[in-house]
Amino acid sequence: MSRKGNKLLNIPQGVTVTINENVVQVKGAQGTLVVPYPADLIKVENVANQIKVTRRNDEKSARIFHGTINSNINNALIGLGSGYTRKLKIVGVGYKANVSGNKLTLAIGFSHPVVFDIPPGLRVVCPTPTEIVIDGYDKIVIGEFAANVRATRKPEPYNGKGIMYSDEIIIRKVGKTAEGSGASSGGAKK
C-alpha cells in the first residue's frame, strides 16, 4: 500500500480544484497549475473539500503513478495556497548578485557577468549582494531555476566558494600539505 498515495489532500482557502478527464486543474490567486494523470490507471475525486487519489487496479503501472500523482497535486495545492521559497547564498571574494527588471546578473569570478532571464511566475529578490531569494507557486519551476543558478558556480570543497542553497552543508576537504609527503626523510632505508 502506498502511504503517500492514500493521503487525503486538504484544499486551502482561496484555491479551487477542477477535475477533468486526465487533468486536475488547480486555480489560486497567483495563477493556475495543471497536473496531468493517466485516467485509465488513477482515479481522482473531490470528497468533502478533500482530494482523494485511488488506483483503478493493482497493476504495477498503477502503483507507480499512485503516490507520484498524489504528491504532484499536493505540490500544486501548497504552491497556490501559500507558495514556495528557495534561498541561495553566494560565498567568495567579489562574488555578488543583482536583479534588475526581469534579469538576474551574477558576478562570480568569470571574465563576464552571467545573466539569467527570470521565468514568468517567479519573483527573485537579492536582499544583500550575496543572497538570492526565489519565490513562486510552481515548485518545479522554482527548483529548476535555483538548480540552474547554482550550476553556474557549484560550491567547491576546498575553499567553500560558490553558489549554494542556504540550508546546504558543504563537507570541506583538507588541502595538500608538505608535512606528510616524506620529502625530508633522506634517501636510503636503514
Side-chain angles (χ1 to χ4, degrees):
M1 292 299 285
S2 172
R3 284 180 279 177
K4 279 273 190 200
N6 291 331
K7 182 179 170 187
L8 292 176
L9 307 175
N10 294 322
I11 301 173
Q13 283 290 53
V15 176
T16 60
V17 177
T18 308
I19 300 170
N20 298 327
E21 187 176 335
N22 292 340
V23 168
V24 175
Q25 186 176 21
V26 183
K27 286 185 183 178
Q30 296 103 348
T32 303
L33 290 174
V34 176
V35 180
Y37 69 94
D40 56 331
L41 300 174
I42 301 294
K43 180 180 176 185
V44 179
E45 52 192 348
N46 190 345
V47 178
N49 207 26
Q50 290 183 326
I51 301 297
K52 183 178 180 183
V53 180
T54 56
R55 297 191 292 251
R56 293 200 185 268
N57 54 38
D58 208 31
E59 294 178 9
K60 184 176 182 178
S61 55
R63 290 191 313 249
I64 289 171
F65 282 112
H66 190 199
T68 303
I69 298 300
N70 196 331
S71 292
N72 289 345
I73 294 171
N74 190 33
N75 290 342
L77 291 172
I78 292 171
L80 289 169
S82 58
Y84 287 103
T85 300
R86 196 70 167 142
K87 295 179 183 178
L88 299 170
K89 65 180 178 179
I90 303 171
V91 177
V93 177
Y95 288 11
K96 59 186 174 180
N98 183 24
V99 175
S100 60
N102 198 23
K103 306 251 186 231
L104 172 66
T105 306
L106 301 174
I108 49 175
F110 296 126
S111 62
H112 59 286
V114 179
V115 180
F116 285 97
D117 291 326
I118 299 172
L122 291 187
R123 187 177 69 88
V124 179
V125 180
C126 293
T128 65
T130 59
E131 285 182 304
I132 303 169
V133 179
I134 306 166
D135 292 329
Y137 60 88
D138 193 350
K139 187 175 184 179
I140 296 170
V141 175
I142 291 171
E144 185 177 1
F145 183 72
N148 288 339
V149 170
R150 182 184 178 275
T152 56
R153 180 70 83 174
K154 289 183 181 176
E156 54 99 9
Y158 293 102
N159 295 325
K161 297 184 345 180
I163 301 172
M164 61 195 81
Y165 300 117
S166 63
D167 56 350
E168 185 176 11
I169 298 171
I170 304 300
I171 298 173
R172 302 291 295 271
K173 291 183 179 178
V174 178
K176 294 180 180 178
T177 59
E179 189 174 305
S181 64
S184 62
S185 64
K189 292 183 179 179
K190 294 181 183 181

mmCIF file of all heavy atoms in Angstrom, residues 106-158:
data_model
loop_
_atom_site.group_PDB
_atom_site.id
_atom_site.type_symbol
_atom_site.label_atom_id
_atom_site.label_comp_id
_atom_site.label_asym_id
_atom_site.label_seq_id
_atom_site.Cartn_x
_atom_site.Cartn_y
_atom_site.Cartn_z
ATOM 1 N N LEU A 106 24.835 37.747 -12.288
ATOM 2 C CA LEU A 106 25.784 37.195 -11.318
ATOM 3 C C LEU A 106 27.201 37.580 -11.716
ATOM 4 O O LEU A 106 27.596 37.411 -12.870
ATOM 5 C CB LEU A 106 25.684 35.675 -11.273
ATOM 6 C CG LEU A 106 24.342 35.055 -10.919
ATOM 7 C CD1 LEU A 106 24.422 33.541 -11.066
ATOM 8 C CD2 LEU A 106 23.939 35.418 -9.511
ATOM 9 N N ALA A 107 27.971 38.084 -10.758
ATOM 10 C CA ALA A 107 29.405 38.299 -10.924
ATOM 11 C C ALA A 107 30.075 37.275 -10.021
ATOM 12 O O ALA A 107 30.141 37.446 -8.802
ATOM 13 C CB ALA A 107 29.783 39.719 -10.523
ATOM 14 N N ILE A 108 30.551 36.172 -10.629
ATOM 15 C CA ILE A 108 31.039 35.046 -9.820
ATOM 16 C C ILE A 108 32.410 34.549 -10.271
ATOM 17 O O ILE A 108 32.673 33.366 -10.326
ATOM 18 C CB ILE A 108 30.012 33.891 -9.842
ATOM 19 C CG1 ILE A 108 29.562 33.579 -11.254
ATOM 20 C CG2 ILE A 108 28.840 34.199 -8.955
ATOM 21 C CD1 ILE A 108 28.649 32.386 -11.359
ATOM 22 N N GLY A 109 33.281 35.502 -10.623
ATOM 23 C CA GLY A 109 34.658 35.135 -10.913
ATOM 24 C C GLY A 109 34.965 34.853 -12.366
ATOM 25 O O GLY A 109 36.102 34.536 -12.693
ATOM 26 N N PHE A 110 34.003 34.955 -13.241
ATOM 27 C CA PHE A 110 34.269 34.788 -14.665
ATOM 28 C C PHE A 110 34.683 36.141 -15.251
ATOM 29 O O PHE A 110 34.520 37.187 -14.618
ATOM 30 C CB PHE A 110 33.035 34.258 -15.407
ATOM 31 C CG PHE A 110 32.610 32.875 -14.974
ATOM 32 C CD1 PHE A 110 31.315 32.643 -14.565
ATOM 33 C CD2 PHE A 110 33.500 31.824 -14.979
ATOM 34 C CE1 PHE A 110 30.915 31.383 -14.172
ATOM 35 C CE2 PHE A 110 33.108 30.560 -14.588
ATOM 36 C CZ PHE A 110 31.816 30.339 -14.179
ATOM 37 N N SER A 111 35.191 36.143 -16.476
ATOM 38 C CA SER A 111 35.588 37.392 -17.116
ATOM 39 C C SER A 111 34.380 38.215 -17.562
ATOM 40 O O SER A 111 34.538 39.358 -17.959
ATOM 41 C CB SER A 111 36.481 37.095 -18.327
ATOM 42 O OG SER A 111 35.749 36.348 -19.283
ATOM 43 N N HIS A 112 33.190 37.638 -17.480
ATOM 44 C CA HIS A 112 31.967 38.310 -17.911
ATOM 45 C C HIS A 112 30.865 38.026 -16.890
ATOM 46 O O HIS A 112 30.906 37.011 -16.194
ATOM 47 C CB HIS A 112 31.532 37.775 -19.283
ATOM 48 C CG HIS A 112 31.292 36.292 -19.273
ATOM 49 N ND1 HIS A 112 32.327 35.369 -19.237
ATOM 50 C CD2 HIS A 112 30.149 35.571 -19.240
ATOM 51 C CE1 HIS A 112 31.819 34.149 -19.204
ATOM 52 N NE2 HIS A 112 30.503 34.238 -19.202
ATOM 53 N N PRO A 113 29.886 38.910 -16.786
ATOM 54 C CA PRO A 113 28.761 38.608 -15.891
ATOM 55 C C PRO A 113 27.863 37.537 -16.497
ATOM 56 O O PRO A 113 27.712 37.450 -17.721
ATOM 57 C CB PRO A 113 28.026 39.943 -15.765
ATOM 58 C CG PRO A 113 28.429 40.724 -16.952
ATOM 59 C CD PRO A 113 29.795 40.251 -17.353
ATOM 60 N N VAL A 114 27.275 36.713 -15.647
ATOM 61 C CA VAL A 114 26.348 35.675 -16.089
ATOM 62 C C VAL A 114 24.935 36.202 -15.870
ATOM 63 O O VAL A 114 24.582 36.616 -14.770
ATOM 64 C CB VAL A 114 26.561 34.364 -15.301
ATOM 65 C CG1 VAL A 114 25.589 33.299 -15.755
ATOM 66 C CG2 VAL A 114 27.987 33.891 -15.438
ATOM 67 N N VAL A 115 24.123 36.207 -16.947
ATOM 68 C CA VAL A 115 22.782 36.793 -16.891
ATOM 69 C C VAL A 115 21.745 35.693 -17.101
ATOM 70 O O VAL A 115 21.856 34.902 -18.040
ATOM 71 C CB VAL A 115 22.624 37.892 -17.960
ATOM 72 C CG1 VAL A 115 21.234 38.486 -17.905
ATOM 73 C CG2 VAL A 115 23.671 38.968 -17.772
ATOM 74 N N PHE A 116 20.738 35.656 -16.215
ATOM 75 C CA PHE A 116 19.627 34.719 -16.317
ATOM 76 C C PHE A 116 18.344 35.491 -16.544
ATOM 77 O O PHE A 116 18.097 36.503 -15.874
ATOM 78 C CB PHE A 116 19.475 33.895 -15.024
ATOM 79 C CG PHE A 116 20.496 32.821 -14.846
ATOM 80 C CD1 PHE A 116 21.625 33.044 -14.072
ATOM 81 C CD2 PHE A 116 20.330 31.591 -15.436
ATOM 82 C CE1 PHE A 116 22.566 32.063 -13.896
ATOM 83 C CE2 PHE A 116 21.264 30.593 -15.272
ATOM 84 C CZ PHE A 116 22.380 30.831 -14.499
ATOM 85 N N ASP A 117 17.506 35.015 -17.456
ATOM 86 C CA ASP A 117 16.151 35.546 -17.592
ATOM 87 C C ASP A 117 15.282 34.881 -16.532
ATOM 88 O O ASP A 117 15.269 33.659 -16.416
ATOM 89 C CB ASP A 117 15.577 35.245 -18.981
ATOM 90 C CG ASP A 117 16.280 36.044 -20.074
ATOM 91 O OD1 ASP A 117 16.682 37.186 -19.792
ATOM 92 O OD2 ASP A 117 16.426 35.525 -21.196
ATOM 93 N N ILE A 118 14.542 35.690 -15.777
ATOM 94 C CA ILE A 118 13.684 35.160 -14.729
ATOM 95 C C ILE A 118 12.398 34.647 -15.371
ATOM 96 O O ILE A 118 11.726 35.387 -16.086
ATOM 97 C CB ILE A 118 13.378 36.237 -13.673
ATOM 98 C CG1 ILE A 118 14.692 36.694 -13.022
ATOM 99 C CG2 ILE A 118 12.405 35.708 -12.630
ATOM 100 C CD1 ILE A 118 14.552 37.877 -12.108
ATOM 101 N N PRO A 119 12.044 33.371 -15.175
ATOM 102 C CA PRO A 119 10.825 32.823 -15.783
ATOM 103 C C PRO A 119 9.573 33.519 -15.247
ATOM 104 O O PRO A 119 9.564 34.015 -14.122
ATOM 105 C CB PRO A 119 10.833 31.352 -15.368
ATOM 106 C CG PRO A 119 12.203 31.066 -14.907
ATOM 107 C CD PRO A 119 12.784 32.351 -14.430
ATOM 108 N N PRO A 120 8.510 33.567 -16.051
ATOM 109 C CA PRO A 120 7.265 34.172 -15.558
ATOM 110 C C PRO A 120 6.693 33.358 -14.400
ATOM 111 O O PRO A 120 6.797 32.140 -14.363
ATOM 112 C CB PRO A 120 6.340 34.140 -16.776
ATOM 113 C CG PRO A 120 6.957 33.202 -17.743
ATOM 114 C CD PRO A 120 8.406 33.116 -17.423
ATOM 115 N N GLY A 121 6.116 34.060 -13.435
ATOM 116 C CA GLY A 121 5.561 33.398 -12.260
ATOM 117 C C GLY A 121 6.517 33.352 -11.090
ATOM 118 O O GLY A 121 6.137 32.957 -9.992
ATOM 119 N N LEU A 122 7.778 33.724 -11.303
ATOM 120 C CA LEU A 122 8.762 33.740 -10.227
ATOM 121 C C LEU A 122 9.064 35.174 -9.818
ATOM 122 O O LEU A 122 9.054 36.091 -10.638
ATOM 123 C CB LEU A 122 10.068 33.080 -10.649
ATOM 124 C CG LEU A 122 10.074 31.592 -10.884
ATOM 125 C CD1 LEU A 122 11.494 31.110 -11.120
ATOM 126 C CD2 LEU A 122 9.466 30.839 -9.745
ATOM 127 N N ARG A 123 9.353 35.347 -8.539
ATOM 128 C CA ARG A 123 9.797 36.635 -8.018
ATOM 129 C C ARG A 123 11.167 36.398 -7.409
ATOM 130 O O ARG A 123 11.313 35.605 -6.481
ATOM 131 C CB ARG A 123 8.825 37.160 -6.970
ATOM 132 C CG ARG A 123 9.110 38.570 -6.495
ATOM 133 C CD ARG A 123 8.054 39.040 -5.518
ATOM 134 N NE ARG A 123 8.122 38.328 -4.254
ATOM 135 C CZ ARG A 123 8.884 38.689 -3.222
ATOM 136 N NH1 ARG A 123 9.649 39.745 -3.307
ATOM 137 N NH2 ARG A 123 8.863 37.988 -2.106
ATOM 138 N N VAL A 124 12.182 37.064 -7.959
ATOM 139 C CA VAL A 124 13.553 36.896 -7.492
ATOM 140 C C VAL A 124 14.001 38.207 -6.862
ATOM 141 O O VAL A 124 13.870 39.270 -7.458
ATOM 142 C CB VAL A 124 14.495 36.493 -8.649
ATOM 143 C CG1 VAL A 124 15.922 36.343 -8.155
ATOM 144 C CG2 VAL A 124 14.024 35.202 -9.291
ATOM 145 N N VAL A 125 14.524 38.113 -5.637
ATOM 146 C CA VAL A 125 14.962 39.288 -4.880
ATOM 147 C C VAL A 125 16.350 39.009 -4.330
ATOM 148 O O VAL A 125 16.657 37.878 -3.934
ATOM 149 C CB VAL A 125 13.983 39.568 -3.712
ATOM 150 C CG1 VAL A 125 14.417 40.772 -2.909
ATOM 151 C CG2 VAL A 125 12.578 39.755 -4.219
ATOM 152 N N CYS A 126 17.184 40.055 -4.281
ATOM 153 C CA CYS A 126 18.501 39.966 -3.646
ATOM 154 C C CYS A 126 18.525 40.913 -2.447
ATOM 155 O O CYS A 126 18.816 42.099 -2.599
ATOM 156 C CB CYS A 126 19.606 40.330 -4.629
ATOM 157 S SG CYS A 126 19.800 39.168 -5.967
ATOM 158 N N PRO A 127 18.193 40.414 -1.228
ATOM 159 C CA PRO A 127 18.212 41.295 -0.061
ATOM 160 C C PRO A 127 19.605 41.854 0.230
ATOM 161 O O PRO A 127 19.749 42.984 0.651
ATOM 162 C CB PRO A 127 17.741 40.419 1.084
ATOM 163 C CG PRO A 127 17.406 39.101 0.516
ATOM 164 C CD PRO A 127 17.787 39.068 -0.911
ATOM 165 N N THR A 128 20.634 41.052 0.002
ATOM 166 C CA THR A 128 22.022 41.501 0.081
ATOM 167 C C THR A 128 22.703 41.022 -1.202
ATOM 168 O O THR A 128 22.177 40.139 -1.894
ATOM 169 C CB THR A 128 22.749 40.906 1.310
ATOM 170 O OG1 THR A 128 22.830 39.490 1.154
ATOM 171 C CG2 THR A 128 22.024 41.237 2.596
ATOM 172 N N PRO A 129 23.867 41.563 -1.537
ATOM 173 C CA PRO A 129 24.531 41.119 -2.772
ATOM 174 C C PRO A 129 24.939 39.640 -2.774
ATOM 175 O O PRO A 129 25.231 39.086 -3.829
ATOM 176 C CB PRO A 129 25.773 42.010 -2.850
ATOM 177 C CG PRO A 129 25.432 43.210 -2.061
ATOM 178 C CD PRO A 129 24.526 42.736 -0.971
ATOM 179 N N THR A 130 24.937 38.990 -1.605
ATOM 180 C CA THR A 130 25.342 37.585 -1.548
ATOM 181 C C THR A 130 24.176 36.644 -1.249
ATOM 182 O O THR A 130 24.400 35.490 -0.899
ATOM 183 C CB THR A 130 26.440 37.379 -0.494
ATOM 184 O OG1 THR A 130 25.939 37.789 0.771
ATOM 185 C CG2 THR A 130 27.689 38.167 -0.845
ATOM 186 N N GLU A 131 22.942 37.132 -1.362
ATOM 187 C CA GLU A 131 21.765 36.299 -1.133
ATOM 188 C C GLU A 131 20.813 36.415 -2.316
ATOM 189 O O GLU A 131 20.625 37.505 -2.863
ATOM 190 C CB GLU A 131 21.011 36.730 0.126
ATOM 191 C CG GLU A 131 21.646 36.348 1.415
ATOM 192 C CD GLU A 131 20.789 36.772 2.599
ATOM 193 O OE1 GLU A 131 20.480 37.969 2.699
ATOM 194 O OE2 GLU A 131 20.417 35.883 3.383
ATOM 195 N N ILE A 132 20.196 35.295 -2.669
ATOM 196 C CA ILE A 132 19.166 35.272 -3.712
ATOM 197 C C ILE A 132 17.962 34.546 -3.135
ATOM 198 O O ILE A 132 18.092 33.423 -2.643
ATOM 199 C CB ILE A 132 19.657 34.539 -4.980
ATOM 200 C CG1 ILE A 132 20.934 35.177 -5.525
ATOM 201 C CG2 ILE A 132 18.574 34.537 -6.051
ATOM 202 C CD1 ILE A 132 21.613 34.359 -6.605
ATOM 203 N N VAL A 133 16.792 35.177 -3.189
ATOM 204 C CA VAL A 133 15.556 34.577 -2.700
ATOM 205 C C VAL A 133 14.615 34.419 -3.888
ATOM 206 O O VAL A 133 14.311 35.391 -4.587
ATOM 207 C CB VAL A 133 14.900 35.446 -1.602
ATOM 208 C CG1 VAL A 133 13.602 34.806 -1.136
ATOM 209 C CG2 VAL A 133 15.842 35.634 -0.445
ATOM 210 N N ILE A 134 14.163 33.184 -4.124
ATOM 211 C CA ILE A 134 13.278 32.868 -5.247
ATOM 212 C C ILE A 134 11.933 32.461 -4.678
ATOM 213 O O ILE A 134 11.848 31.503 -3.914
ATOM 214 C CB ILE A 134 13.871 31.735 -6.112
ATOM 215 C CG1 ILE A 134 15.288 32.087 -6.560
ATOM 216 C CG2 ILE A 134 12.981 31.455 -7.311
ATOM 217 C CD1 ILE A 134 16.070 30.925 -7.111
ATOM 218 N N ASP A 135 10.864 33.190 -5.038
ATOM 219 C CA ASP A 135 9.505 32.906 -4.590
ATOM 220 C C ASP A 135 8.642 32.575 -5.792
ATOM 221 O O ASP A 135 8.851 33.109 -6.882
ATOM 222 C CB ASP A 135 8.877 34.116 -3.885
ATOM 223 C CG ASP A 135 9.531 34.419 -2.561
ATOM 224 O OD1 ASP A 135 9.993 33.474 -1.917
ATOM 225 O OD2 ASP A 135 9.556 35.604 -2.182
ATOM 226 N N GLY A 136 7.614 31.735 -5.575
ATOM 227 C CA GLY A 136 6.680 31.419 -6.634
ATOM 228 C C GLY A 136 5.693 30.365 -6.185
ATOM 229 O O GLY A 136 5.701 29.914 -5.044
ATOM 230 N N TYR A 137 4.823 29.965 -7.113
ATOM 231 C CA TYR A 137 3.809 28.975 -6.781
ATOM 232 C C TYR A 137 4.049 27.623 -7.436
ATOM 233 O O TYR A 137 3.454 26.636 -7.048
ATOM 234 C CB TYR A 137 2.416 29.491 -7.142
ATOM 235 C CG TYR A 137 2.209 29.814 -8.604
ATOM 236 C CD1 TYR A 137 1.790 28.849 -9.497
ATOM 237 C CD2 TYR A 137 2.431 31.092 -9.088
ATOM 238 C CE1 TYR A 137 1.598 29.135 -10.834
ATOM 239 C CE2 TYR A 137 2.237 31.397 -10.415
ATOM 240 C CZ TYR A 137 1.823 30.424 -11.285
ATOM 241 O OH TYR A 137 1.642 30.725 -12.608
ATOM 242 N N ASP A 138 4.938 27.544 -8.426
ATOM 243 C CA ASP A 138 5.217 26.280 -9.110
ATOM 244 C C ASP A 138 6.541 25.719 -8.599
ATOM 245 O O ASP A 138 7.616 26.257 -8.881
ATOM 246 C CB ASP A 138 5.271 26.487 -10.620
ATOM 247 C CG ASP A 138 5.249 25.188 -11.393
ATOM 248 O OD1 ASP A 138 5.384 24.111 -10.776
ATOM 249 O OD2 ASP A 138 5.078 25.238 -12.628
ATOM 250 N N LYS A 139 6.469 24.639 -7.822
ATOM 251 C CA LYS A 139 7.643 24.060 -7.185
ATOM 252 C C LYS A 139 8.668 23.575 -8.214
ATOM 253 O O LYS A 139 9.876 23.702 -7.997
ATOM 254 C CB LYS A 139 7.211 22.892 -6.291
ATOM 255 C CG LYS A 139 8.314 22.318 -5.444
ATOM 256 C CD LYS A 139 7.788 21.258 -4.509
ATOM 257 C CE LYS A 139 8.865 20.758 -3.585
ATOM 258 N NZ LYS A 139 8.372 19.756 -2.653
ATOM 259 N N ILE A 140 8.211 23.067 -9.339
ATOM 260 C CA ILE A 140 9.109 22.550 -10.371
ATOM 261 C C ILE A 140 9.923 23.674 -10.989
ATOM 262 O O ILE A 140 11.137 23.563 -11.162
ATOM 263 C CB ILE A 140 8.307 21.782 -11.439
ATOM 264 C CG1 ILE A 140 7.649 20.559 -10.814
ATOM 265 C CG2 ILE A 140 9.196 21.386 -12.603
ATOM 266 C CD1 ILE A 140 6.646 19.870 -11.704
ATOM 267 N N VAL A 141 9.280 24.790 -11.324
ATOM 268 C CA VAL A 141 9.967 25.916 -11.957
ATOM 269 C C VAL A 141 10.964 26.550 -10.988
ATOM 270 O O VAL A 141 12.076 26.906 -11.372
ATOM 271 C CB VAL A 141 8.942 26.956 -12.463
ATOM 272 C CG1 VAL A 141 9.636 28.190 -13.007
ATOM 273 C CG2 VAL A 141 8.059 26.346 -13.533
ATOM 274 N N ILE A 142 10.567 26.679 -9.719
ATOM 275 C CA ILE A 142 11.469 27.246 -8.709
ATOM 276 C C ILE A 142 12.710 26.367 -8.551
ATOM 277 O O ILE A 142 13.838 26.857 -8.541
ATOM 278 C CB ILE A 142 10.751 27.398 -7.356
ATOM 279 C CG1 ILE A 142 9.692 28.474 -7.436
ATOM 280 C CG2 ILE A 142 11.733 27.717 -6.238
ATOM 281 C CD1 ILE A 142 8.803 28.536 -6.226
ATOM 282 N N GLY A 143 12.507 25.066 -8.429
ATOM 283 C CA GLY A 143 13.632 24.151 -8.254
ATOM 284 C C GLY A 143 14.561 24.127 -9.452
ATOM 285 O O GLY A 143 15.784 24.085 -9.302
ATOM 286 N N GLU A 144 13.985 24.175 -10.658
ATOM 287 C CA GLU A 144 14.810 24.158 -11.865
ATOM 288 C C GLU A 144 15.620 25.439 -12.003
ATOM 289 O O GLU A 144 16.804 25.400 -12.327
ATOM 290 C CB GLU A 144 13.911 23.962 -13.085
ATOM 291 C CG GLU A 144 14.664 23.817 -14.374
ATOM 292 C CD GLU A 144 13.749 23.558 -15.552
ATOM 293 O OE1 GLU A 144 12.519 23.518 -15.375
ATOM 294 O OE2 GLU A 144 14.275 23.405 -16.661
ATOM 295 N N PHE A 145 14.994 26.590 -11.734
ATOM 296 C CA PHE A 145 15.701 27.860 -11.839
ATOM 297 C C PHE A 145 16.820 27.934 -10.793
ATOM 298 O O PHE A 145 17.947 28.345 -11.095
ATOM 299 C CB PHE A 145 14.733 29.033 -11.674
ATOM 300 C CG PHE A 145 15.366 30.374 -11.839
ATOM 301 C CD1 PHE A 145 15.757 30.810 -13.095
ATOM 302 C CD2 PHE A 145 15.591 31.202 -10.756
ATOM 303 C CE1 PHE A 145 16.363 32.045 -13.260
ATOM 304 C CE2 PHE A 145 16.184 32.434 -10.903
ATOM 305 C CZ PHE A 145 16.564 32.865 -12.170
ATOM 306 N N ALA A 146 16.538 27.519 -9.559
ATOM 307 C CA ALA A 146 17.558 27.533 -8.500
ATOM 308 C C ALA A 146 18.714 26.591 -8.844
ATOM 309 O O ALA A 146 19.884 26.926 -8.621
ATOM 310 C CB ALA A 146 16.934 27.152 -7.162
ATOM 311 N N ALA A 147 18.408 25.438 -9.411
ATOM 312 C CA ALA A 147 19.459 24.481 -9.776
ATOM 313 C C ALA A 147 20.330 25.023 -10.917
ATOM 314 O O ALA A 147 21.552 24.821 -10.918
ATOM 315 C CB ALA A 147 18.839 23.147 -10.176
ATOM 316 N N ASN A 148 19.714 25.726 -11.884
ATOM 317 C CA ASN A 148 20.484 26.311 -12.983
ATOM 318 C C ASN A 148 21.400 27.424 -12.489
ATOM 319 O O ASN A 148 22.537 27.548 -12.948
ATOM 320 C CB ASN A 148 19.546 26.838 -14.071
ATOM 321 C CG ASN A 148 18.887 25.719 -14.839
ATOM 322 O OD1 ASN A 148 19.373 24.592 -14.867
ATOM 323 N ND2 ASN A 148 17.761 26.014 -15.444
ATOM 324 N N VAL A 149 20.920 28.246 -11.559
ATOM 325 C CA VAL A 149 21.753 29.315 -10.991
ATOM 326 C C VAL A 149 22.909 28.700 -10.220
ATOM 327 O O VAL A 149 24.058 29.120 -10.354
ATOM 328 C CB VAL A 149 20.905 30.249 -10.098
ATOM 329 C CG1 VAL A 149 21.794 31.195 -9.311
ATOM 330 C CG2 VAL A 149 19.912 31.035 -10.939
ATOM 331 N N ARG A 150 22.619 27.678 -9.412
ATOM 332 C CA ARG A 150 23.661 27.025 -8.610
ATOM 333 C C ARG A 150 24.700 26.349 -9.498
ATOM 334 O O ARG A 150 25.895 26.314 -9.179
ATOM 335 C CB ARG A 150 23.030 25.997 -7.672
ATOM 336 C CG ARG A 150 24.010 25.293 -6.763
ATOM 337 C CD ARG A 150 23.306 24.233 -5.933
ATOM 338 N NE ARG A 150 24.219 23.508 -5.089
ATOM 339 C CZ ARG A 150 24.926 22.446 -5.462
ATOM 340 N NH1 ARG A 150 24.831 21.990 -6.695
ATOM 341 N NH2 ARG A 150 25.738 21.845 -4.618
ATOM 342 N N ALA A 151 24.269 25.806 -10.638
ATOM 343 C CA ALA A 151 25.176 25.057 -11.518
ATOM 344 C C ALA A 151 26.209 25.951 -12.202
ATOM 345 O O ALA A 151 27.217 25.441 -12.698
ATOM 346 C CB ALA A 151 24.372 24.304 -12.571
ATOM 347 N N THR A 152 26.004 27.275 -12.240
ATOM 348 C CA THR A 152 26.989 28.142 -12.876
ATOM 349 C C THR A 152 28.299 28.173 -12.093
ATOM 350 O O THR A 152 29.363 28.314 -12.682
ATOM 351 C CB THR A 152 26.459 29.584 -13.023
ATOM 352 O OG1 THR A 152 26.075 30.081 -11.753
ATOM 353 C CG2 THR A 152 25.303 29.632 -13.976
ATOM 354 N N ARG A 153 28.233 28.069 -10.757
ATOM 355 C CA ARG A 153 29.439 28.011 -9.937
ATOM 356 C C ARG A 153 29.120 27.172 -8.709
ATOM 357 O O ARG A 153 28.754 27.682 -7.663
ATOM 358 C CB ARG A 153 29.876 29.418 -9.550
ATOM 359 C CG ARG A 153 31.108 29.510 -8.698
ATOM 360 C CD ARG A 153 32.373 29.144 -9.402
ATOM 361 N NE ARG A 153 32.885 30.265 -10.169
ATOM 362 C CZ ARG A 153 34.038 30.243 -10.788
ATOM 363 N NH1 ARG A 153 34.803 29.172 -10.729
ATOM 364 N NH2 ARG A 153 34.448 31.262 -11.483
ATOM 365 N N LYS A 154 29.236 25.842 -8.862
ATOM 366 C CA LYS A 154 28.937 24.943 -7.746
ATOM 367 C C LYS A 154 29.930 25.169 -6.618
ATOM 368 O O LYS A 154 31.082 25.528 -6.868
ATOM 369 C CB LYS A 154 29.021 23.489 -8.211
ATOM 370 C CG LYS A 154 27.908 23.073 -9.125
ATOM 371 C CD LYS A 154 28.035 21.614 -9.474
ATOM 372 C CE LYS A 154 26.940 21.192 -10.418
ATOM 373 N NZ LYS A 154 27.084 19.818 -10.862
ATOM 374 N N PRO A 155 29.516 24.951 -5.381
ATOM 375 C CA PRO A 155 30.455 25.136 -4.276
ATOM 376 C C PRO A 155 31.568 24.085 -4.333
ATOM 377 O O PRO A 155 31.309 22.915 -4.575
ATOM 378 C CB PRO A 155 29.587 24.954 -3.029
ATOM 379 C CG PRO A 155 28.371 24.257 -3.490
ATOM 380 C CD PRO A 155 28.187 24.581 -4.926
ATOM 381 N N GLU A 156 32.777 24.548 -4.139
ATOM 382 C CA GLU A 156 33.894 23.606 -4.188
ATOM 383 C C GLU A 156 34.351 23.286 -2.763
ATOM 384 O O GLU A 156 34.244 24.124 -1.875
ATOM 385 C CB GLU A 156 35.014 24.151 -5.069
ATOM 386 C CG GLU A 156 35.513 25.533 -4.712
ATOM 387 C CD GLU A 156 36.773 25.472 -3.901
ATOM 388 O OE1 GLU A 156 37.349 24.387 -3.768
ATOM 389 O OE2 GLU A 156 37.157 26.497 -3.361
ATOM 390 N N PRO A 157 34.840 22.085 -2.521
ATOM 391 C CA PRO A 157 35.052 21.620 -1.150
ATOM 392 C C PRO A 157 36.315 22.134 -0.461
ATOM 393 O O PRO A 157 36.449 21.971 0.733
ATOM 394 C CB PRO A 157 35.119 20.103 -1.311
ATOM 395 C CG PRO A 157 35.593 19.896 -2.697
ATOM 396 C CD PRO A 157 35.040 21.028 -3.496
ATOM 397 N N TYR A 158 37.241 22.754 -1.186
ATOM 398 C CA TYR A 158 38.497 23.160 -0.558
ATOM 399 C C TYR A 158 38.390 24.541 0.088
ATOM 400 O O TYR A 158 38.773 24.740 1.230
ATOM 401 C CB TYR A 158 39.642 23.121 -1.565
ATOM 402 C CG TYR A 158 39.941 21.707 -2.003
ATOM 403 C CD1 TYR A 158 39.503 21.231 -3.223
ATOM 404 C CD2 TYR A 158 40.625 20.841 -1.163
ATOM 405 C CE1 TYR A 158 39.745 19.935 -3.604
ATOM 406 C CE2 TYR A 158 40.875 19.521 -1.533
ATOM 407 C CZ TYR A 158 40.439 19.085 -2.763
ATOM 408 O OH TYR A 158 40.667 17.797 -3.131
#
